[in-house]
Amino acid sequence: MSELVPGGNTALPSGAWTFRVPGPFDVSALITDDGGKVRGDADFVFFNQPAVPGARLHGDALTLDPAALRRGATRVTLVVSPADPGAALARLPSPTLQVTDPRGRVLARFTPAPVREETVLLLAEVYRRAGAWKVRALGQGYADGLAGLARDFGVDVEEETPAGTTAVGAPGHAAAPSRGAHGPRQGAGAAPGRPARHHPSLGHPSASPASSDPDGFLALVNPARARAGSPPVALDPRLTSAAHAHAAAMAAAGQLGVEGRDGVSVFQRITAAGFTYLAVGEHLVSGPRTHAEFVEYCLGAEQPRRTLQDPAFTHAGVARAGAYWTALWASPLTAAGLDRAEAEVLELTNRERAKARLRPLAPDGPLARAARAYCVDMAARAFYSHTSPEGTQPWDRAAAAGSAKRSIGENIACGQRSPAEVVEGWMNSPGHRANILKADFTHLGVGFAGGGPSGTYWTQLFGA
């Protein structure tokens, strides 16, 4: 496995490859020849056009089959942009690219330096030289957005037009990669416009129309939340899809469980459905015959009731397969939310140090980048260890992120649902407590990621 740096490259074996970028990002790709220009609509892969010959986008992963690319294609440029159009790329964790072969074996990984004002990041390029394919790390920021980037690659982008008017584009070119579209657009002589993907998980949920809640689930749940002073939740189709998949898995196994017979956890089903979360909860239940009975059960005991009424959740999904029910509760990962959670871990850590009359730890950018990237890696590859599958240690990851600290310590945790819970757990463990209360440490980076078998992953990276 190759750990790439900007400009570095590594050869790819024959066959297809998957390029995954976990987190709150959209992945796009531009297929070109050596001249760096697309030939038409089918050379641009993005959320409105997820599949073209030789390339398919599914969630946070792009699969490339070089043998199936259009004739003359010699280069594929991989691009990331914020999944939330209102988010600044600089406020998000640094994206980590992971390249795997069809068996899931990791071929290369790359985490670029943080961007500043740029809105889009050219992450890497896959290119052919002398009949062989390689991947090169780029990490180049781009300030003009995804539409501006597409134009520079030769895509004739249609601009958004007011409702009731017609957008006109050149024949054979892609519709604008915009998330603000009102719906399908049709250009005169252009390829049919594709509806931009909307994000029901973004923003605070308002009252949902009855048609979005055919089983009356929200009508049962939201009054119970209101009685506890919690805001309403909205149904999210991705959470509903994940709930269906997990309820079916439990029914097939004939037993309740966070993990199905297929080895996939309910949390992995959520992220696979495209919902990247900051907070998550679940009800796995058997027996109720109706939605009303299911909600009554959840309200009948302290822990299930606490999950249903948790004010952190903004969205939900519920499904039943036979006697088995899955209800999922979550709030989407946002840059501001991630910053708050990580800042709270730092604050709680410094409170513990203050009790021991130790100086507070200062936040540290490189340590935070390394901590965040490691959480994402553990969630994405379903491992939990201070040593990565490739053998890297905490100090290796800190140095790779640009840290010059001479002394490094690391705490990791998984499964905890809040900053308070994770810090309390660390303080109740002698080894983790020793890191938090080590007088020599001066700086701290905090990381969080959702997904994987355990649902949540946390990292503290200390430095001096």
Side-chain angles (χ1 to χ4, degrees), residues 133-153:
W133 287 86
K134 296 183 177 183
V135 59
R136 176 186 291 119
L138 297 177
Q140 176 185 343
Y142 194 91
D144 291 339
L146 190 57
L149 174 69
R151 286 191 190 95
D152 285 356
F153 274 77

Side-chain angles (χ1 to χ4, degrees), residues 59-384:
D60 59 9
L62 176 78
T63 298
L64 287 180
D65 180 358
L69 290 172
R70 56 99 170 155
R71 186 176 180 180
T74 59
R75 184 177 304 173
V76 179
T77 302
L78 304 176
V79 181
V80 293
S81 55
D84 176 359
L89 193 59
R91 298 282 291 166
L92 299 178
S94 294
T96 296
L97 171 68
Q98 184 170 285
V99 187
T100 58
D101 65 13
R103 294 180 297 170
R105 184 170 60 96
V106 179
L107 304 173
R109 193 166 58 233
F110 171 54
T111 302
V115 301
R116 296 183 180 179
E117 296 83 12
E118 295 86 352
T119 57
V120 172
L121 187 67
L122 278 68
L123 192 57
E125 64 177 1
V126 184
Y127 62 100
R128 186 174 65 193
R129 286 289 183 273
W133 287 86
K134 296 183 177 183
V135 59
R136 176 186 291 119
L138 297 177
Q140 176 185 343
Y142 194 91
D144 291 339
L146 190 57
L149 174 69
R151 286 191 190 95
D152 285 356
F153 274 77
V155 178
D156 189 5
V157 176
E158 299 170 6
E159 298 294 346
E160 280 302 314
T161 56
T165 63
T166 301
V168 180
H173 289 293
S178 168
R179 290 193 174 275
H182 303 290
R185 293 161 294 162
Q186 196 77 23
R194 296 169 175 81
R197 188 178 72 197
H198 295 280
H199 282 274
S201 70
L202 300 175
H204 192 74
S206 57
S208 299
S211 61
S212 66
D213 185 19
D215 299 305
F217 181 66
L218 296 183
L220 297 165
V221 165
N222 282 333
R225 289 177 61 84
R227 289 193 294 272
S230 298
V233 293
L235 289 177
D236 186 280
R238 294 163 296 178
L239 293 177
T240 300
S241 174
H244 273 291
H246 199 71
M250 291 193 298
Q255 62 182 22
L256 297 173
V258 171
E259 187 175 288
R261 278 182 179 173
D262 55 5
V264 179
S265 77
V266 66
F267 312 111
Q268 290 168 304
R269 299 189 203 281
I270 295 173
T271 54
F275 195 108
T276 307
Y277 57 81
L278 182 63
V280 68
E282 72 283 349
H283 287 115
L284 308 178
V285 178
S286 66
R289 294 165 296 179
T290 66
H291 284 76
E293 287 186 8
F294 174 78
V295 173
E296 182 181 3
Y297 166 83
C298 292
L299 292 172
E302 181 181 357
Q303 185 56 50
R305 181 172 60 251
R306 188 182 305 166
T307 298
L308 187 148
Q309 296 178 332
D310 193 326
F313 300 137
T314 57
H315 293 80
V318 64
R320 174 188 179 187
Y324 293 87
W325 293 76
T326 297
L328 300 175
W329 313 84
S331 60
L333 179 70
T334 65
L338 182 61
D339 285 347
R340 284 194 301 270
E342 294 174 349
E344 188 174 349
V345 171
L346 175 62
E347 179 184 355
L348 292 170
T349 298
N350 280 333
R351 285 184 193 176
E352 298 297 339
R353 289 177 66 88
K355 293 176 187 177
R357 298 186 178 181
L358 297 171
R359 59 182 175 178
L361 302 172
D364 184 273
L367 293 179
R369 289 197 297 274
R372 284 181 173 182
Y374 197 55
C375 287
V376 169
D377 194 25
M378 287 192 291
R381 293 202 281 168
F383 74 93
Y384 178 69

